[in-house]
């Protein structure tokens, strides 16, 4: 895995191994902070409806390691 903190990117590969052989699948990722995602959503007409700290609907706090955010079409 390669991590570039300045670009906030991760580059890694998944290995698929089966009877036909091994296949490497590149998986580039870029992480974004919730405020950045909220801005991107607003720019396309969406509004934040709810944010949780995980799939089990934990409270989202400064210590949360992830978030699940729900957006809906913004009222005009």
């Amino acid at each position: 895995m390669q991590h570039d903190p300045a670009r906030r990117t991760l580059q890694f590969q998944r290995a698929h191994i089966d009877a036909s052989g091994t296949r490497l699948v590149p998986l580039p990722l870029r992480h974004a902070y919730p405020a950045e995602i909220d801005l991107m959503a607003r720019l396309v007409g969406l509004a934040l409806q709810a944010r949780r700290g995980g799939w089990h609907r934990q409270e989202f706090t400064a210590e949360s390691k992830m978030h699940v955010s729900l957006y809906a079409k913004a009222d005009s």
Side-chain angles (χ1 to χ4, degrees), residues 46-58:
L46 299 176
L48 179 67
Q49 299 297 300
R51 176 168 287 135
R52 298 293 181 193
W55 292 111
H56 299 289
R57 299 182 180 174
Q58 308 91 300

Side-chain angles (χ1 to χ4, degrees), residues 21-53:
T22 302
R23 183 170 50 105
L24 296 177
V25 179
L27 188 55
L29 298 174
R30 180 187 178 277
H31 58 92
Y33 295 103
E36 184 179 5
I37 297 169
D38 293 346
L39 174 59
M40 290 186 280
R42 279 195 306 273
L43 292 172
V44 297
L46 299 176
L48 179 67
Q49 299 297 300
R51 176 168 287 135
R52 298 293 181 193

